[in-house]
């Protein structure tokens, strides 16, 4: 009798697939204006804008609390899979004891074991998707998204988002991307920087494909950028006066293709992200490393010069001390000699 381990594993993974926390919550402008939504001190907020609808996946770096929640989710999924196994095993044994003529006995269920039981990777557990729907504000050729998230460090995985009936669609920036910090109680305003800053026109990779997102009776085309544009951090009038900061971007090296989407990379960003063929270059880190080497060399040179100067000064001091000792000795020798009567030539 053949036991289908793959089928059992797929069932366990399917039940655990959507264990990821609802880490991002869209905010509607009307609710914000009415006072039904406010900027909370213990939450983070991400604002992204652009000339068309967009969808993104951001992955938060897990902290100890996140890891604990992930472990809790694992335990819940394992308990659910174990309970499901007991039910299926009971049905299987009953069927085995009472075979039905002309019908084959189904595969025996696989008991979940901790050594092999898996849920989604912690990176997916920490992922937040938003867009192309749930726009904060649209108009005047701009679409603005405002999402409430947990504070922390977020990596832009790429334009990947959940499509009804299709699962996750889009393109991952697995071969190079950026990250930024989201502080509590403040709107982290990315503006259109994620699309406008990169030099897409200079990156010699395969041209991106548009993403078709079904919406209502039609569909929305999410166009991936092909060239850089003027960067704008303009705020909707409704958000002016709120605590806002523009984040600093940092390069991120290669990451796993957690959603199995088309692989790509973020184009180079001056002073942040560059490439040597397929090698990701953290421009800020390299500059800092070079500056450290220069500073250490200058410090070593200054220390060597200071040491040499101190040694020279010490040598000069010793020479002067020796000269003084020689002068004293010479004077003492002169004073010890008997005086001579120059007129008589006799000694007294």
């Amino acid at each position: 009798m053949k036991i289908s381990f793959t089928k059992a594993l797929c069932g366990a993974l399917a039940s655990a697939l959507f264990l990821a926390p609802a880490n991002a919550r869209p905010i509607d402008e009307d609710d914000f204006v009415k006072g039904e939504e406010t900027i909370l001190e213990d939450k983070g907020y991400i604002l992204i804008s652009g000339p068309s609808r967009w969808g993104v996946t951001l992955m938060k770096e897990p902290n100890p609390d996140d890891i604990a929640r992930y472990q809790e989710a694992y335990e819940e999924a394992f308990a659910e899979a174990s309970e499901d196994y007991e039910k299926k095993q009971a049905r299987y044994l009953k069927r085995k004891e009472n075979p039905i003529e002309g019908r084959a006995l189904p595969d025996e269920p696989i008991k979940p074991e901790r050594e092999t039981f898996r849920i989604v990777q912690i990176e997916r557990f920490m992922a937040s998707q938003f867009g192309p729907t749930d726009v904060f504000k649209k108009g005047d050729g701009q679409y603005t998204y405002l999402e409430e998230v947990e504070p922390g460090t977020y990596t832009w995985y790429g334009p990947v988002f959940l499509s009804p009936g299709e699962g996750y669609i889009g393109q991952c920036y697995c071969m190079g991307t950026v990250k930024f910090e989201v502080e509590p109680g403040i709107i982290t305003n990315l503006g259109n920087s994620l699309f406008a800053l990169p030099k897409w026109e200079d990156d010699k990779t395969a041209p991106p494909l548009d993403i078709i997102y079904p919406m209502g009776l039609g569909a929305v085309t999410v166009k991936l950028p092909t060239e850089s544009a003027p960067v704008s951090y303009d705020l909707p009038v409704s958000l002016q006066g709120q605590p806002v900061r523009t984040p600093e971007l940092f390069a991120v090296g290669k990451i796993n293709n957690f959603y199995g989407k088309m692989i790509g990379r973020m184009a180079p960003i001056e002073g942040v992200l560059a490439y040597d063929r397929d090698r990701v270059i953290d421009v800020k880190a390299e500059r800092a490393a070079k500056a450290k080497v220069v500073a250490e060399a200058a410090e070593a040179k200054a220390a060597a010069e200071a040491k040499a100067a101190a040694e020279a000064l010490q040598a000069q001091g010793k020479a002067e001390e020796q000269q003084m000792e020689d002068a004293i000795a010479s004077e003492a020798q002169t004073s010890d000699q008997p005086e001579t009567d120059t007129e008589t030539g006799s000694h007294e």
Side-chain angles (χ1 to χ4, degrees):
M1 178 176 58
K2 181 180 179 182
I3 298 177
S4 177
F5 177 78
T6 303
K7 182 183 295 185
L9 180 60
C10 288
L13 288 175
S15 65
L17 184 60
F18 295 103
L19 284 174
N23 198 30
R25 186 177 68 84
I27 295 179
D28 181 81
E29 185 181 40
D30 289 341
D31 294 338
F32 194 85
V33 171
K34 293 175 184 176
E36 297 175 4
E37 292 278 9
T38 59
I39 302 302
L40 303 177
E41 292 184 355
D42 62 337
K43 295 294 183 180
Y45 298 85
I46 299 175
L47 185 141
I48 297 178
S49 60
S52 63
R53 288 185 180 271
W54 257 85
V56 302
T57 288
L58 299 172
M59 291 182 172
K60 179 178 179 286
E61 292 183 6
N63 59 31
D65 290 340
D66 296 325
I67 295 173
R69 288 192 300 122
Y70 179 73
Q71 186 61 36
E72 182 180 348
Y74 174 90
E75 295 298 336
E76 291 177 359
F78 183 78
E80 182 180 343
S82 298
E83 182 179 351
D84 187 55
Y85 162 77
E86 295 295 339
K87 294 178 181 178
K88 290 181 178 179
Q89 182 69 359
R91 290 195 297 266
Y92 170 80
L93 293 175
K94 183 177 181 180
R95 177 72 180 276
K96 186 177 181 180
E97 294 173 357
N98 302 280
I100 300 175
E101 186 177 354
R103 295 181 63 179
L105 186 66
D107 294 339
E108 183 176 359
I110 301 297
K111 183 178 181 179
E113 302 289 347
R114 290 188 178 277
E115 293 76 13
T116 56
F117 185 77
R118 298 288 181 270
I119 62 174
V120 295
Q121 306 97 323
I122 192 169
E123 290 84 0
R124 289 186 63 172
F125 184 81
M126 298 306 302
S128 296
Q129 287 90 21
F130 52 90
T133 57
D134 297 321
V135 178
F136 177 79
K137 179 180 178 62
K138 60 181 178 180
D140 300 325
Q142 284 288 317
Y143 289 81
T144 300
Y145 297 87
L146 179 62
E147 301 282 328
E148 181 185 276
V149 299
E150 294 299 320
T153 302
Y154 285 81
T155 294
W156 190 27
Y157 178 78
V160 173
F161 44 91
L162 191 60
S163 174
E166 295 185 51
Y168 289 98
I169 59 175
Q171 181 183 37
C172 83
Y173 290 155
C174 307
M175 304 302 288
T177 185
V178 295
K179 64 181 178 180
F180 55 92
E181 191 73 19
V182 175
E183 297 181 1
I186 299 175
I187 297 174
T188 300
N189 182 16
L190 289 161
N192 68 346
S193 62
L194 295 181
F195 325 121
L197 268 179
K199 300 294 183 182
W200 305 100
E201 62 273 19
D202 296 338
D203 201 25
K204 306 303 180 183
T205 58
L209 301 176
D210 293 340
I211 304 172
I212 308 301
Y213 179 82
M215 192 170 174
L217 299 177
V220 172
T221 300
V222 177
K223 290 186 172 294
L224 301 187
T226 57
E227 59 182 17
S228 57
V231 179
S232 172
Y233 296 100
D234 292 345
L235 285 173
V237 175
S238 57
L239 294 179
Q240 293 180 7
Q242 297 295 327
V244 178
R245 65 180 287 270
T246 301
E248 184 177 2
L249 302 179
F250 297 90
V252 175
K254 296 177 183 178
I255 56 179
N256 291 337
N257 187 4
F258 298 107
Y259 293 91
K261 299 294 100 183
M262 182 173 62
I263 293 176
R265 71 187 190 185
M266 196 173 190
I269 299 177
E270 185 177 356
V272 178
L273 176 67
Y275 299 95
D276 178 9
R277 303 186 70 175
D278 66 342
R279 183 175 70 89
V280 178
I281 299 174
D282 185 338
V283 178
K284 291 180 179 179
E286 284 207 350
R287 287 180 177 175
K290 290 179 180 178
K292 183 180 179 181
V293 170
V294 172
E296 288 176 348
E299 185 178 347
K301 181 180 179 182
E305 291 176 348
K307 182 180 179 182
E311 290 175 347
L313 186 62
Q314 185 179 19
Q316 181 182 354
K318 287 183 177 180
E320 292 177 351
E321 183 179 345
Q322 186 62 47
Q323 288 178 356
M324 184 176 293
E325 290 177 356
D326 292 345
I328 294 174
S330 176
E331 183 178 348
Q333 185 178 6
T334 303
S335 63
D336 288 342
Q337 291 180 357
E339 294 183 3
T340 303
D341 188 341
T342 54
E343 294 183 357
T344 63
S346 63
H347 295 282
E348 293 184 356

